[in-house]
Amino acid sequence: MSSLLRMMGVGKGIQRPSRVKVHFNNIKANLNILKWTSQTQSVFFASASEDKTVKLWDEKLRLLGTLYLHKFPAYTLTKVQEGILAVGSLDSSVRIWNWNSNKEVTYNDGLLTHTGKVTGLYAINDCLLASGGEDGLVQIWDICKQTEVHRLKGHKGAIKSLLAQGEEYVISGSADSKLRVWDLKT
């Protein structure tokens, strides 16, 4: 499959929008992309797709690595800390990937989180991760200890978006047309 990607201001040398032709081979559909700048000011992209892979790209869109973590398609991802990605899948799990060593740092079958696919992830800090699912649950994980900290119930539809305000509040948007603000201190 060939895709046209429009990039704005990627890398230090690009001052105006440019068109880059990118070829994604064997990607079936639902390609989710995350962009971030590392501590060394390098720009990276990670892609999660229905071909069950997560791929890491540099700012020139050169493939740096491919991860085969899930038994089912990868659906969502977020950078947790330098060198660490969290990846949610249709298999109801969240897995933590250290891309420097190309190894999974979660145990067993990952963090088994939701009934149905994991639809959203948000890194609150280096250890706290929020996950949202098709089941309407928002879960807060301490990924350093690999334990669940909070299980937040209240939505009647799939979680569509997550955001944190510091370490005190998580905001979730759902297919039930509700926006909820969760106080993590209580």
Side-chain angles (χ1 to χ4, degrees):
M1 173 193 288
S2 177
S3 300
L4 197 59
L5 178 66
R6 186 167 177 82
M7 297 170 41
M8 300 192 58
V10 176
K12 295 177 182 154
I14 299 174
Q15 299 298 320
R16 58 187 163 78
S18 64
R19 300 188 99 179
V20 179
K21 190 162 185 160
V22 181
H23 295 277
F24 293 106
N25 296 322
N26 300 322
I27 295 177
K28 310 242 188 285
N30 286 344
L31 179 68
N32 295 307
I33 297 178
L34 168 73
K35 174 193 167 207
W36 74 92
T37 304
S38 71
Q39 291 174 346
T40 63
Q41 298 304 305
S42 298
V43 175
F44 293 98
F45 298 89
S47 62
S49 77
E50 287 187 354
D51 67 359
K52 304 176 190 173
T53 65
V54 174
K55 295 183 181 198
L56 183 65
W57 314 82
D58 70 8
E59 62 189 20
K60 294 182 180 173
L61 296 179
R62 291 179 295 216
L63 182 63
L64 301 175
T66 301
L67 176 67
Y68 303 91
L69 262 185
H70 293 277
K71 299 171 189 164
F72 296 94
Y75 189 78
T76 184
L77 68 164
T78 191
K79 176 187 169 215
V80 179
Q81 51 187 271
E82 195 67 28
I84 306 290
L85 283 178
V87 182
S89 171
L90 273 74
D91 68 2
S92 306
S93 72
V94 174
R95 294 178 185 262
I96 311 301
W97 175 32
N98 180 327
W99 72 77
N100 293 320
S101 65
N102 201 23
K103 298 204 186 238
E104 182 179 356
V105 293
T106 44
Y107 302 112
N108 302 320
D109 290 324
L111 304 171
L112 295 175
T113 59
H114 300 276
T115 55
K117 72 180 165 190
V118 179
T119 56
L121 295 170
Y122 190 87
I124 299 168
N125 63 29
D126 284 354
C127 286
L128 290 180
L129 176 71
S131 69
E134 249 180 355
D135 55 9
L137 282 178
V138 174
Q139 290 174 280
I140 310 300
W141 297 92
D142 182 328
I143 62 167
C144 296
K145 296 177 184 172
Q146 296 194 31
T147 57
E148 183 180 286
V149 178
H150 296 284
R151 180 176 293 246
L152 308 170
K153 299 178 183 179
H155 284 294
K156 300 201 183 326
I159 303 302
K160 296 296 186 180
S161 60
L162 292 167
L163 182 66
Q165 178 62 43
E167 296 178 10
E168 297 178 8
Y169 301 100
V170 168
I171 304 159
S172 57
S174 170
D176 65 5
S177 301
K178 304 279 189 227
L179 183 71
R180 293 191 181 269
V181 178
W182 306 94
D183 186 342
L184 300 182
K185 297 175 294 186
T186 58

